[in-house]
Amino acid sequence: MHYVLMVGMAAATLLAFLVPDADQFQKPELARIFFFHFPSALICSVFIFLSGWFGFWLLRTRDMKWDVRNAASVEMGALYGVFTMATGILFSEVQWGTWWQWDPRQTSFLLVLAIFGAGIAIRGAFSDERRRATISAAYSVASLLPSLFLIFVFPRLPHIEQMSFHPSQTVTGGLLDGWYRVGVLSVGFMLAWLTVIVYRMRVRVGELEFQREQFDGSLEAVGGGAAPHRVVRAVSVSEERRDTPQEV
Amino acid sequence: MAEIWTVFRKEWRGEMRSRHGIFTAGLFSLLAVVAIAFASYGQKPSGTILAGMLCITLLFASVMALPRTFLVEDEQGTFDLLRLISEPQPVFVGKTLYNLTQMLVTGFVLAILLIGFAGLQVTVVWLYILALVAECMALAGAVSLCGALAIGAANRWILAAVLSVPLLLPQVAMGVGAFRAALGEGTIAGGTQNVLGLLGFGVAALALGPVLAASVWKTE
């Protein structure tokens, strides 16, 4: 399956270079950055929703599997946020003549990236994994509304929209050039596919990490001594184990 | 309701003993106004610039002063006791209401100082007052929530600021939109729209905050 993805990704990238130039841009040949920029922004927005959704479920069920998914969503969202910013800055330089110009959409996306950054920072601030999970989940839920405002509302406010270089009707109004539409859809589809695979791998790694931590904890409890590695963690011994000592 | 009022009174009495929060926020406001007056000496800043300065000063005054109500409990070791005698929701709401009161005092002091020292000319007074109340409400709600989340963290004061600022910037943007209309730039309809947005943010933070605080504090 991964070979199909590799071939598809290569074909989509090739297509992005083969579609005819869009003459409306100052440097039409370099406007193809859009094929990667726009899907990245969309995928980043999806991870904002996912992060809030997984946060909600963690707070509701206290099941740590949601924390693994929440952490993966925050990391992947931040990654795509950085990718969106990088391609946007490059586009800004080649088409508008400056790396950074405080365009409202650029700025609002920078703030979304800052929210993802705060989400990552919060995970490093708590040593207890349960507490870290609930606090991160609560922050993901709390940051959903400001993030949605920054992405969907703020750039469309009338006095803000006038100042922005970003066209707001091109995609939603169906004004995208036919070949460009094919290019965006192709690259977007392949990028989404790649994202699903990487995301699932990240979740699997997170689950394995969690299982390993639990295993270390159980070794400490059963043996009554230290694990092979130095593990500094509070140990809770269940009622059954306390009553019936087991051998390792 | 009685529990909320008790928590509010506890915060008020604590503040009256030390006067730390109001003193810090008041001094910060005064220094900010003096800095703005210095920076714009001999010039007449536009309404939009002054609106931006007012909102940024309110933002930093809130981030500096408001998380204290939550974090100081953690530092003094009184947070567990507080949770023993009360449910999380009234604790959060009581502290947030106190934060709102403190923020309103700071906001009005700052607004008056800006009119007196920086030559701020308000053209639509009702919109100015409404924007100030809505901005304070939105800031108090969001900063209280972040303060509640940062309890127990390493570097909790810095973390509270790091968590708050990205969440508060949309509110600052709306605040600028509302204040600039009150100062004669932009339309009143646009200003009112921004005030409604701020009120929406404030209500959302006040509604969501107790639920999140309860679910987070229950796990400990």
Side-chain angles (χ1 to χ4, degrees):
Chain A
M1 203 64 173
H2 290 187
Y3 290 109
V4 180
L5 172 70
M6 281 168 64
V7 173
M9 198 73 213
T13 309
L14 195 66
L15 180 72
F17 282 94
L18 292 178
V19 295
D21 290 343
D23 296 330
Q24 304 93 315
F25 293 102
Q26 285 197 355
K27 291 181 182 169
E29 69 281 6
L30 292 175
R32 292 181 170 82
I33 302 165
F34 175 76
F35 293 137
F36 297 90
H37 174 73
F38 180 68
S40 300
L42 278 185
I43 292 170
C44 180
S45 309
V46 169
F47 277 116
I48 291 170
F49 278 106
L50 286 179
S51 168
W53 177 248
F54 294 143
F56 167 76
W57 278 104
L58 183 122
L59 293 175
R60 193 163 172 185
T61 62
R62 308 284 165 186
D63 189 339
M64 289 295 279
K65 78 174 183 187
W66 299 114
D67 179 54
V68 173
R69 282 156 180 75
N70 185 24
S73 302
V74 171
E75 286 171 18
M76 295 287 289
L79 186 71
Y80 275 99
V82 169
F83 196 54
T84 307
M85 289 303 298
T87 49
I89 288 170
L90 205 59
F91 187 92
S92 173
E93 165 61 17
V94 295
Q95 301 296 340
W96 303 333
T98 176
W99 294 103
W100 189 266
Q101 52 168 350
W102 297 107
D103 181 272
R105 219 176 262 263
Q106 261 184 336
T107 312
S108 67
F109 216 86
L110 180 68
L111 296 180
V112 170
L113 203 55
I115 291 177
F116 274 123
I120 292 171
I122 208 170
R123 299 194 75 83
F126 295 92
S127 52
D128 180 69
E129 61 195 22
R130 295 264 167 200
R131 179 141 177 76
R132 181 175 60 215
T134 48
I135 298 284
S136 299
Y139 191 69
S140 295
V141 174
S143 61
L144 193 58
L145 190 63
S147 301
L148 295 182
F149 174 83
L150 286 167
I151 291 180
F152 297 108
V153 182
F154 178 71
R156 290 178 177 82
L157 291 175
H159 66 285
I160 298 292
E161 198 172 12
Q162 290 166 9
M163 293 189 290
S164 180
F165 277 77
H166 278 81
S168 54
Q169 299 296 324
T170 311
V171 176
T172 53
L175 302 175
L176 205 63
D177 175 77
W179 274 108
Y180 257 59
R181 195 177 303 148
V182 173
V184 167
L185 285 175
S186 310
V187 175
F189 177 75
M190 297 317 296
L191 213 53
W193 190 357
L194 177 70
T195 307
V196 169
I197 289 173
V198 175
Y199 170 78
R200 289 175 68 177
M201 285 165 73
R202 175 63 188 87
V203 168
R204 185 73 192 123
V205 168
E207 284 173 346
L208 287 172
E209 276 176 357
F210 182 69
Q211 282 170 13
R212 184 180 169 279
E213 283 173 12
Q214 298 301 106
F215 181 66
D216 279 354
S218 82
L219 273 183
E220 281 178 83
V222 174
H229 309 289
R230 290 191 65 184
V231 180
V232 181
R233 189 182 303 116
V235 176
S236 61
V237 184
S238 67
E239 289 291 331
E240 297 164 10
R241 282 181 176 165
R242 205 177 294 161
D243 295 333
T244 55
Q246 298 168 29
E247 286 182 10
V248 182
Chain B
M1 201 63 195
E3 272 185 280
I4 295 172
W5 178 236
T6 308
V7 173
F8 181 86
R9 272 196 312 168
K10 171 197 159 301
E11 291 300 325
W12 181 260
R13 283 183 181 171
E15 181 60 40
M16 285 302 107
R17 281 187 201 131
S18 66
R19 292 190 174 83
H20 181 274
I22 287 179
F23 183 74
T24 310
L27 192 63
F28 179 79
S29 305
L30 180 66
L31 290 175
V33 171
V34 171
I36 290 169
F38 257 129
S40 60
Y41 186 73
Q43 292 179 346
K44 191 169 167 45
S46 68
T48 306
I49 296 285
L50 282 171
M53 287 175 169
L54 172 61
C55 288
I56 288 170
T57 313
L58 282 172
L59 166 75
F60 284 104
S62 68
V63 169
M64 274 174 55
L66 302 191
R68 183 180 171 275
T69 48
F70 291 93
L71 301 184
V72 83
E73 301 278 3
D74 196 21
E75 285 178 355
Q76 290 173 346
T78 49
F79 185 58
D80 290 336
L81 181 68
L82 195 63
R83 283 190 308 164
L84 277 176
I85 57 174
S86 180
E87 287 291 314
Q89 290 93 338
V91 172
F92 182 85
V93 175
K95 283 177 178 287
T96 305
L97 285 179
Y98 172 75
N99 279 345
L100 175 60
T101 311
Q102 186 180 322
M103 201 59 220
L104 283 172
V105 172
T106 310
F108 276 98
V109 168
L110 183 65
I112 292 166
L113 285 174
L114 269 175
I115 291 170
F117 284 87
L120 193 110
Q121 288 180 330
V122 182
T123 48
V124 190
V125 178
W126 65 266
L127 185 60
Y128 187 67
I129 294 171
L130 208 62
L132 198 61
V133 172
E135 179 79 5
C136 289
M137 194 173 148
L139 291 177
V143 177
S144 299
L145 178 58
C146 292
L149 293 183
I151 289 177
N155 299 322
R156 54 185 78 88
W157 288 91
I158 298 169
L159 184 70
V162 168
L163 298 183
S164 306
V165 173
L167 298 189
L168 296 178
L169 286 173
Q171 300 163 25
V172 169
M174 282 192 284
V176 172
F179 282 118
R180 68 193 280 272
L183 299 178
E185 289 182 16
T187 60
I188 293 179
T192 316
Q193 211 175 25
N194 279 302
V195 168
L196 287 174
L198 280 172
L199 287 173
F201 257 110
V203 170
L206 289 174
L208 194 65
V211 180
L212 288 180
S215 60
V216 165
W217 292 345
K218 267 180 192 167
T219 58
E220 292 169 46

